[in-house]
Amino acid sequence: MLSAQLEAYLAEINLPATAEQKKQLLDFVGMLNKWNKAYNLTSVRDPEIMLVRHIMDSLVVSIHLQGDRFIDVGTGPGLPAIPLAIMNPDKTFVLLDSLGKRIRFQKQVAFELGIHNISSIESRVEAYQPEQKFDGVLSRAFASIHDMLTWCHHLPAEHGQFYALKGQLSDEEMQQIPAGFVVTETIELKVPKLDEQRHLLKIIKE
């Protein structure tokens, strides 16, 4: 059932996937559902809804990624980074979260599903000082755009950019973008089976 739905959704967003990638995505949903009972990783309880709200909601960003090295800030159980890492084996993703149980889950996912291009770090974003900066700083449902840019300003490389995944965009939030940052692109995303607004903002430092 889930397998057929995933096939249809991937076709709808025109994202080709190997049999192995599809299996990893479905196995990730399975692990999320199983661990959720004890760890309370997400408020979504139904695997079919997880497939839409977590997997596809992450994957619609895939074609917009530029660069090789990414960090997912406030990643929770690994969203959007784990689905994106599965579909982009040539890119690397650092998953940053301050809660140990989420980090343990991510590491188990990497181990069980054989995902070799992610690494998980338990830290608050303000305290995390990487030796190597990132081509892209991702955040999904992490904070307001103002807070994201304030807390993550030290993470992008010289030509790196921020990818803010948002639902509805409010004028108020857009007006609170701190000085020194510029929105270069606002992309309306269409998630299969999700009748809600989704946007991707690409932002750079001036």
Side-chain angles (χ1 to χ4, degrees):
M1 179 73 176
L2 276 186
S3 179
Q5 288 172 335
L6 177 62
E7 290 270 0
Y9 298 157
L10 288 171
E12 194 176 322
I13 66 168
N14 201 20
L15 191 63
T18 65
E20 171 69 8
Q21 286 170 324
K22 291 172 195 169
K23 183 179 186 307
Q24 286 176 316
L25 291 170
L26 292 171
D27 287 348
F28 178 50
V29 172
M31 288 188 71
L32 199 50
N33 188 43
K34 179 179 150 191
W35 279 60
N36 204 31
K37 294 174 175 69
Y39 273 56
N40 199 26
L41 298 166
T42 166
S43 59
V44 179
R45 300 292 180 216
D46 180 337
E48 286 189 40
I49 300 173
M50 284 179 184
L51 190 60
V52 172
R53 286 197 165 272
H54 292 332
I55 305 302
M56 299 314 300
D57 199 32
S58 298
L59 289 183
V60 287
V61 179
S62 187
I63 61 166
H64 301 291
L65 297 181
Q66 295 167 286
D68 303 312
R69 186 173 151 76
F70 295 85
I71 183 168
D72 182 7
V73 177
T75 183
L79 299 164
I82 288 175
L84 290 173
I86 289 170
M87 296 304 293
N88 295 276
D90 55 327
K91 303 182 191 301
T92 60
F93 294 82
V94 170
L95 284 63
L96 192 72
D97 203 275
S98 58
L99 267 190
K101 66 178 183 179
R102 294 173 182 161
I103 298 295
R104 285 194 291 281
F105 171 70
Q106 296 162 21
K107 288 184 172 176
Q108 194 61 28
V109 168
F111 173 71
E112 285 191 30
L113 306 191
I115 304 171
H116 304 298
N117 56 333
I118 64 174
S119 55
S120 299
I121 293 174
E122 183 180 342
S123 173
R124 293 181 63 81
V125 64
E126 311 93 298
Y128 178 58
Q129 298 292 336
E131 284 179 29
Q132 190 184 350
K133 307 284 187 173
F134 299 92
D135 298 320
V137 179
L138 292 155
S139 88
R140 173 184 183 265
F142 164 60
S144 69
I145 298 171
H146 176 276
D147 288 347
M148 175 204 179
L149 296 172
T150 304
W151 295 336
C152 304
H153 66 91
H154 60 296
L155 296 176
E158 188 182 350
H159 298 293
Q161 54 190 332
F162 297 90
Y163 295 80
L165 284 69
K166 305 296 290 185
Q168 226 169 339
L169 288 180
S170 74
D171 291 340
E172 186 184 357
E173 188 174 11
M174 296 297 284
Q175 285 162 8
Q176 289 175 355
I177 292 174
F181 296 93
V182 179
V183 178
T184 58
E185 208 174 346
T186 303
I187 301 162
E188 200 168 325
L189 302 170
K190 186 75 190 87
V191 181
K193 292 285 181 226
L194 193 62
D195 191 21
E196 295 172 18
Q197 287 191 21
R198 288 289 185 272
H199 294 89
L200 169 65
L201 297 183
K202 289 187 176 184
I203 302 168
I204 58 167
K205 282 177 162 181
E206 281 189 288

